[in-house]
Amino acid sequence: MSTARKLKVMASVSNSLSFKHGLSLWCPQSPSLHRIRHSSAKNFQRRGFVVAYSSFANENREFVIVGGGNAAGYAARTFVEHGMADGRLCIVSKEAYAPYERPALTKGYLFPLDKKPARLPGFHTCVGSGGERQTPEWYKEKGIEMIYQDPVTSIDIEKQTLITNSGKLLKYGSLIVATGCTASRFPEKIGGYLPGVHYIRDVADADALISSLEKAKKVVVVGGGYIGMEVAAAAVGWKLDTTIIFPENHLLQRLFTPSLAQRYEQLYQQNGVKFVKGASIKNLEAGSDGRVAAVKLEDGSTIDADTIVIGIGAKPTVSPFERVGLNSSVGGIQVDGQFRTSMPGIFAIGDVAAFPLKMYDRTARVEHVDHARQSAQHCIKALLSAQTHTYDYLPYFYSRVFEYEGSPRKVWWQFFGDNVGETIEIGNFDPKIATFWIDSGKLKGVLVESGSPEEFQLLPTLARSQPFVDKAKLQQASSVEEALEIARAALPVEAAV
């Protein structure tokens, strides 16, 4: 049978053929669309599949990624590595930019203008992991269709179609949901949308904040987590009066121990940052010009501010994909160890995915760039190849602050594992400190501040191996270096590094 005849038969049988791992090979019905690219279709032809390609002259797409963040950028790279991007892949994004390394927005992007702040195209994916910088031109060269500033607003699962905000209709063969999260906001009725109130999730948000910082005198940061700590450190670089307000007893309560948090709080205070802990906000008050002017607390006190940054967490962006299947405990879209949803041919990756955290035997949803990268790569490899092993993620978090030129002390910590059990703290934060989490004698998690490259490299090995450690010996360590050597010595032979 000729190639043309094969394509005609395929199209007449079905618009979408679903194969192992949820892969759908899209077979558009327009007679003017197809050609066979032997080099990139090699793997499928070995299996006896005849692949039809869309030139995107109509609404048909073989693979569609919804979302334009970190996960989308790393997924695109994986498609390219498998020779399955050119003329087949479409990315639909609400943003005006090609995918970029989002963590930069609360770090280098907020540096004062005279301190060499990060700017695009400098931090497009995949530079954050040492990969190629995927500029808009890169996507064009790779034959990837990019649809900017046009988010998907509805999906018809039965017809395998998407509709964007502009009314554009897209038919997909396989769909990868990479919509990430949306910043949690204060309600409008308590001043959450006043001019001068900022949330950071994309470049436009960060640009708006920078415009405010250029004119600001008093900054209030609401939230004592990653965003709060990073934005406050940036405001110090701008030499602004800065206050952090949060309801918890100490910074980053979901990870830091009280002792560890105290070290960081003292460092921030040495840089002029003020803390208001255990506080609840009643409302944000506007001045005579309509801009935000103060924060009013539940105890009746007020704190003046001309710029307020809200960093109180984020919510997974599941709309309009609720029918795909949500997780009621951790939020997000439920997936399996291959990132397949309950609907054939539909996948979810990155922040929005609720996935099985294999090593701890629980379902998790991780809002972190490392997971965005790894989940994207694992999903696309499973989609395009015979890979069948379950995603086995090791939780990893880090922060880098006060890294602008002229800063007297740069901060960079890394954490791997699970923060459960009792803790042992070693070091005096001058500059190093390490915290070890030990549960039933096993090392479950470890955090190191200002470690060397070799020390940071050791951390994931320790957290994944979970060796039994001698607590008494570890407690007696006189330095971070000695403590890490004790932990290293406890590793099984096959895991030792």
Side-chain angles (χ1 to χ4, degrees), residues 194-195 284-294 305:
L194 287 171
L284 308 181
E285 297 183 338
S288 57
D289 60 356
R291 287 182 58 85
V292 72

Side-chain angles (χ1 to χ4, degrees), residues 475-494:
Q475 288 171 328
Q476 293 169 5
S478 60
S479 66
V480 171
E481 291 83 355
E482 183 182 350
L484 289 173
E485 280 305 313
I486 291 170
R488 185 201 302 267
L491 287 169
V493 175
E494 63 272 15

Side-chain angles (χ1 to χ4, degrees), residues 71 113 115 143 188 195 213 227 295 322 381 443 487:
L113 302 183
K115 306 291 185 183
E188 185 174 7
L213 293 176
I227 300 298
V295 178
E322 292 89 348
K381 287 177 182 177
L443 179 60

Side-chain angles (χ1 to χ4, degrees), residues 186-483:
F186 274 11
E188 185 174 7
K189 65 181 180 181
I190 67 167
Y193 292 78
L194 287 171
V197 177
H198 297 271
Y199 306 84
I200 302 183
R201 200 68 200 177
D202 57 31
V203 168
D205 293 338
D207 285 342
L209 175 57
I210 290 168
S211 295
S212 285
L213 293 176
E214 288 179 299
K215 302 182 288 287
K217 293 181 179 178
K218 292 188 175 184
V219 175
V220 166
V221 179
V222 179
Y226 295 98
I227 300 298
M229 291 179 69
E230 292 175 358
V231 171
V236 167
W238 288 77
K239 296 181 172 56
L240 300 174
D241 182 310
T242 305
T243 302
I244 305 179
I245 303 173
F246 50 86
E248 298 85 10
N249 296 323
H250 62 75
L251 280 175
L252 201 58
Q253 189 160 320
R254 66 175 178 170
L255 177 60
F256 285 176
T257 64
S259 173
L260 184 61
Q262 185 180 21
R263 306 275 192 165
Y264 286 98
E265 289 170 10
Q266 289 172 349
L267 175 64
Y268 275 72
Q269 288 167 337
Q270 290 166 10
N271 280 277
V273 177
K274 297 179 285 290
F275 288 96
V276 180
K277 308 178 195 177
S280 296
I281 293 175
K282 185 175 182 179
N283 62 278
L284 308 181
E285 297 183 338
S288 57
D289 60 356
R291 287 182 58 85
V292 72
V295 178
K296 186 170 185 178
L297 304 181
E298 287 288 357
D299 65 8
S301 62
T302 60
I303 300 171
D304 292 340
D306 49 41
T307 298
I308 296 177
V309 185
I310 311 293
I312 56 173
K315 299 176 182 178
T317 308
V318 297
S319 180
F321 304 105
E322 292 89 348
R323 270 194 62 204
V324 171
L326 304 183
N327 182 285
S328 59
S329 59
V330 300
I333 298 172
Q334 184 65 55
V335 297
D336 65 10
Q338 304 285 348
F339 295 95
R340 296 173 292 198
T341 70
S342 60
M343 299 293 178
I346 302 180
F347 304 76
I349 58 176
D351 294 4
V352 77
F355 65 97
L357 189 56
K358 182 179 177 180
M359 69 180 298
Y360 300 128
D361 192 27
R362 64 175 185 253
T363 298
R365 193 177 58 77
V366 177
E367 297 173 12
H368 194 267
V369 62
D370 181 61
H371 165 64
R373 294 166 180 164
Q374 292 196 43
S375 63
Q377 293 165 340
H378 189 97
C379 174
I380 305 309
K381 287 177 182 177
L383 174 64
L384 300 179
S385 71
Q387 172 184 288
T388 58
H389 66 272
T390 296
Y391 185 60
D392 190 10
Y393 184 68
L394 174 67
Y396 162 55
F397 299 99
Y398 78 95
S399 187
R400 303 178 70 150
V401 294
F402 297 113
E403 289 198 309
Y404 40 81
E405 287 184 354
S407 172
R409 166 75 187 269
K410 295 175 171 58
V411 168
W412 181 16
W413 59 261
Q414 293 189 26
F415 166 84
F416 286 88
D418 203 10
N419 58 327
V420 295
E422 59 183 302
T423 58
I424 295 175
E425 185 178 290
I426 304 295
N428 59 8
F429 203 66
D430 186 27
K432 290 185 178 181
I433 195 167
T435 302
F436 300 85
W437 281 261
I438 299 173
D439 191 29
S440 301
K442 297 174 72 174
L443 179 60
K444 302 290 284 189
V446 57
L447 180 148
V448 171
E449 163 65 44
S450 299
S452 67
E454 294 75 21
E455 288 167 343
F456 281 150
Q457 187 177 6
L458 173 63
L459 304 188
T461 302
L462 292 173
R464 188 172 288 281
S465 299
Q466 301 181 44
F468 284 96
V469 295
D470 185 330
K471 290 192 295 182
K473 192 174 181 181
L474 192 61
Q475 288 171 328
Q476 293 169 5
S478 60
S479 66
V480 171
E481 291 83 355
E482 183 182 350

Side-chain angles (χ1 to χ4, degrees), residues 55-114:
S55 62
F56 298 155
N58 65 7
E59 71 271 17
N60 301 315
R61 308 292 186 274
E62 189 173 344
F63 304 107
V64 173
I65 299 173
V66 178
N70 276 92
Y74 282 81
R77 183 178 73 173
T78 310
F79 271 107
V80 169
E81 290 170 348
H82 284 75
M84 294 295 287
D86 193 358
R88 292 161 157 151
L89 176 61
C90 171
I91 298 177
V92 189
S93 175
K94 67 179 181 180
E95 296 205 42
Y97 305 92
Y100 53 85
E101 305 283 359
R102 200 174 298 278
L105 296 181
T106 54
K107 298 180 178 67
Y109 203 87
L110 295 184
F111 286 0
L113 302 183
D114 61 346

